[in-house]
Amino acid sequence: MARQKTSPTSRSPQKPGKPPRRSLLRRLLLWCLALVLLLLLLPYLLIPLYKLPEIRPVSTLMLAETLSGRAYERQWVGFDDIAPVLVQSVMMSEDGQYCAHSGVDWEALNLVIDDALEGEVTRGASTIPMQTAKNLFLPSTRSVLRKALEIPIAMWMDVVWSKRRLMEIYLNIAEWAPGIYGIEAASQAYFGVPAAKLSARQAALLAVTLPNPIKRNAANPSRGMTRLAGVIEKRASQSGAYIKCLYD
């Protein structure tokens, strides 16, 4: 019986080899770039969704509290159920040109940049939309990169949301004390009253708490905090021309 010869051109099937290391690194890099791009675009996709009044956004600090297993308190309250004097006080304390700008107070920001370039101590220039952008989507650590990300997000918010909706979200996600978020929870925690029943002095004290809610206590203010609250209370009483975008 003749023995079958193997053709010299025939080859036994080879097992697929591992992809080159360069190909794996390239895929990994592409996935990382896609993830970064998604994270950068996510705020712009969520902002139209957050326009809906039934949506109640949470801040990055609230998410951090949840992920770390710590409890926090937040009671959402509609804009019309917040005492106008509180809104006035927060505007006069945090962003007096809120109704005039489109998310960013460029004049104040340019002054801060000029001071920084000249080596002088800078003051804050964050508007309420910029603070809302930070609270909703960005880390709380201060950096030039975070500020650069804040600005376009704040401007997009101002385009998509009404001024009332933006203020409503800001007041409901701001941190007013450790573990206390939103004006309703803050009003109850500090003064035992709902946000709708805040007095002018209580509203002013809450407003001046916002820049440093970890160290400032609206129910037990320092002498300097009391003096500052008096200034804000006076400004709030004269703020009629500044709040027309909220109370027509």
Side-chain angles (χ1 to χ4, degrees):
M1 187 173 180
R3 183 178 298 177
Q4 187 176 4
K5 294 183 179 181
T6 304
S7 172
T9 59
S10 64
R11 297 177 182 176
S12 58
Q14 296 181 356
K15 295 181 180 180
K18 295 182 179 180
R21 183 181 298 273
R22 183 177 298 177
S23 177
L24 287 175
L25 291 175
R26 185 178 301 169
R27 290 181 184 180
L28 182 60
L29 179 60
L30 288 175
W31 276 107
C32 291
L33 290 175
L35 180 59
V36 170
L37 182 62
L38 177 61
L39 291 175
L40 290 175
L41 290 177
L42 188 59
Y44 300 92
L45 300 176
L46 288 175
I47 286 169
L49 179 65
Y50 289 170
K51 182 179 179 179
L52 301 175
E54 59 269 22
I55 302 296
R56 299 177 174 181
V58 297
S59 70
T60 54
L61 287 177
M62 293 184 213
L63 290 174
E65 301 267 24
T66 300
L67 292 175
S68 63
R70 296 191 298 268
Y72 70 86
E73 187 173 353
R74 197 276 291 271
Q75 302 171 44
W76 188 276
V77 62
F79 183 81
D80 290 330
D81 293 320
I82 301 172
V85 70
L86 183 279
V87 178
Q88 294 168 320
S89 297
V90 169
M91 278 187 58
M92 292 299 100
S93 177
E94 298 287 293
D95 186 0
Q97 298 300 315
Y98 178 74
C99 287
H101 61 63
S102 299
V104 179
D105 188 340
W106 293 107
E107 183 177 350
L109 188 60
N110 287 333
L111 289 174
V112 169
I113 294 173
D114 290 342
D115 288 344
L117 292 175
E118 293 174 4
E120 298 180 10
V121 177
T122 60
R123 52 188 176 82
S126 288
T127 61
I128 285 175
M130 291 170 67
Q131 293 179 53
T132 305
K134 178 201 70 176
N135 290 343
L136 280 179
F137 303 116
L138 301 171
S140 57
T141 53
R142 298 184 63 179
S143 68
V144 175
L145 176 60
R146 193 204 75 190
K147 189 64 66 177
L149 293 173
E150 271 180 29
I151 291 174
I153 295 174
M155 295 175 69
W156 180 232
M157 285 178 176
D158 195 79
V159 169
V160 177
W161 298 345
S162 67
K163 292 286 188 178
R164 285 170 61 92
R165 177 60 172 167
L166 206 160
M167 181 65 77
E168 179 184 72
I169 291 177
Y170 174 67
L171 294 177
N172 277 285
I173 65 172
E175 184 182 22
W176 302 80
I180 302 294
Y181 297 88
I183 186 55
E184 182 67 21
S187 300
Q188 297 285 357
Y190 280 126
F191 302 115
V193 299
K197 300 295 184 182
L198 286 166
S199 68
R201 176 45 61 101
Q202 290 169 341
L205 286 168
L206 283 167
V208 300
T209 299
L210 278 173
N212 196 343
I214 305 302
K215 294 184 178 180
R216 296 183 181 182
N217 187 320
N220 185 25
S222 64
R223 184 177 301 175
M225 189 175 166
T226 300
R227 183 172 60 253
L228 182 57
V231 173
I232 297 303
E233 185 177 354
K234 183 177 180 180
R235 289 180 181 174
S237 67
Q238 301 170 349
S239 64
Y242 293 91
I243 60 170
K244 290 182 178 180
C245 65
L246 296 171
Y247 300 101
D248 293 330

